[in-house]
Amino acid sequence: MKKLILLLLAIVLLLPIKVNAATVYTISSDNYTLFPKETIVLEILKNYEPVTGKIKWKSSNKKVATVTSKGKVTAKTKGKAVITATYNRKTYQCSIKVTASTEAVMIFQDNTSTPGDSSNSDDTGNSEASYITLSKYNSLNNGISYAETARLIGMEGTLLNTTETGDNTNVTYAWYGKDGSSNAVIMFVNDKLESKTQTSLQ
């Protein structure tokens, strides 16, 4: 009898035990910083997979950012807005910040410049151009500091984000072109230019 009980106990221990994991609902991102005319798509996730049910989307400020019934967000003008999604009677929110080119128009003052110095001229010869050009972007090499980058471009950048990774401090800035929508996004690691991308600069 004892052997039979031990055998049954061993069989029970070997059987797989099904554990129901808790269902987690989240929004795909709770904050974004966008340029005017940029778009993103937000989703409601169930255990990190997009749900298929009906979601109601709403923007708190349609002048800054709009959202479609499919969760597509379009940045309009400088400002802040909150995108709210309602799913299964619960709400989820994403904070949107739209950064306009006017934030980047802060002329970098080079104290070493002298009257008639054209080192900060744009491609047409106009001094202290308050926007980045493709030629200025191409002149930026990996390893230079933020201060040197701002001097070469002729203006300060717009801070997008700062993160810490181990001993490294990663800081990302944006500079805007003359049309206000073209831009360059540059990341510095420990104040050294690490990577750069540009969109539609001329």
Side-chain angles (χ1 to χ4, degrees), residues 13-104:
L13 291 175
L14 290 173
L15 290 174
I17 300 175
K18 185 177 180 180
V19 178
N20 292 324
T23 301
V24 178
Y25 288 92
T26 58
I27 194 166
S28 53
S29 180
D30 59 7
N31 69 86
Y32 264 106
T33 298
L34 302 173
F35 303 137
K37 300 181 182 180
E38 271 197 302
T39 62
I40 57 168
V41 176
L42 296 174
E43 296 176 307
I44 299 301
L45 308 177
K46 177 182 177 181
N47 293 338
Y48 307 105
E49 293 292 333
V51 300
T52 56
K54 184 178 180 180
I55 305 170
K56 183 179 179 181
W57 296 93
K58 182 180 179 181
S59 172
S60 65
N61 192 341
K62 293 181 180 180
K63 292 182 179 180
V64 173
T66 59
V67 61
T68 69
S69 61
K70 300 295 185 181
K72 182 179 180 180
V73 179
T74 301
K76 296 294 186 179
T77 59
K78 177 184 175 183
K80 295 181 180 180
V82 176
I83 304 299
T84 301
T86 303
Y87 178 74
N88 280 353
R89 298 182 180 180
K90 292 186 178 181
T91 59
Y92 308 84
Q93 293 185 328
C94 176
S95 298
I96 300 294
K97 179 182 178 182
V98 180
T99 304
S101 58
T102 52
E103 285 194 21

Side-chain angles (χ1 to χ4, degrees), residues 20 43 56 67-68 76 133 137 139 167-168 189 192 201:
N20 292 324
E43 296 176 307
K56 183 179 179 181
V67 61
T68 69
K76 296 294 186 179
T133 63
Y137 172 86
S139 71
D167 295 330
N168 295 328
V189 177
K192 300 295 182 183
L201 288 180

Side-chain angles (χ1 to χ4, degrees), residues 4-7 18 37 64 68 75 85 91-92 95 103 106 118 139 145 148 155-156 166-167 181 185 187:
L4 178 60
I5 293 174
L6 292 174
L7 179 61
K18 185 177 180 180
K37 300 181 182 180
V64 173
T68 69
T91 59
Y92 308 84
S95 298
E103 285 194 21
M106 296 186 296
S118 59
S139 71
S145 67
E148 178 66 9
M155 58 186 291
E156 298 278 357
D167 295 330
S181 59
V185 177
M187 184 178 75

Side-chain angles (χ1 to χ4, degrees), residues 67-185:
V67 61
T68 69
S69 61
K70 300 295 185 181
K72 182 179 180 180
V73 179
T74 301
K76 296 294 186 179
T77 59
K78 177 184 175 183
K80 295 181 180 180
V82 176
I83 304 299
T84 301
T86 303
Y87 178 74
N88 280 353
R89 298 182 180 180
K90 292 186 178 181
T91 59
Y92 308 84
Q93 293 185 328
C94 176
S95 298
I96 300 294
K97 179 182 178 182
V98 180
T99 304
S101 58
T102 52
E103 285 194 21
V105 184
M106 296 186 296
I107 305 302
F108 182 78
Q109 300 296 330
D110 184 358
N111 294 327
T112 63
S113 64
T114 58
D117 182 5
S118 59
S119 59
N120 289 330
S121 297
D122 65 11
D123 293 338
T124 63
N126 297 323
S127 61
E128 300 292 358
S130 56
Y131 55 87
I132 187 172
T133 63
L134 182 60
S135 62
K136 289 180 179 180
Y137 172 86
N138 290 335
S139 71
L140 305 175
N141 298 317
N142 285 359
I144 65 175
S145 67
Y146 168 79
E148 178 66 9
T149 300
R151 187 188 70 79
L152 291 171
I153 296 173
M155 58 186 291
E156 298 278 357
T158 298
L159 177 63
L160 297 183
N161 61 65
T162 301
T163 60
E164 300 285 341
T165 307
D167 295 330
N168 295 328
T169 300
N170 309 315
V171 185
T172 304
Y173 291 89
W175 280 265
Y176 296 87
K178 189 174 183 179
D179 59 3
S181 59
S182 58
N183 61 80
V185 177

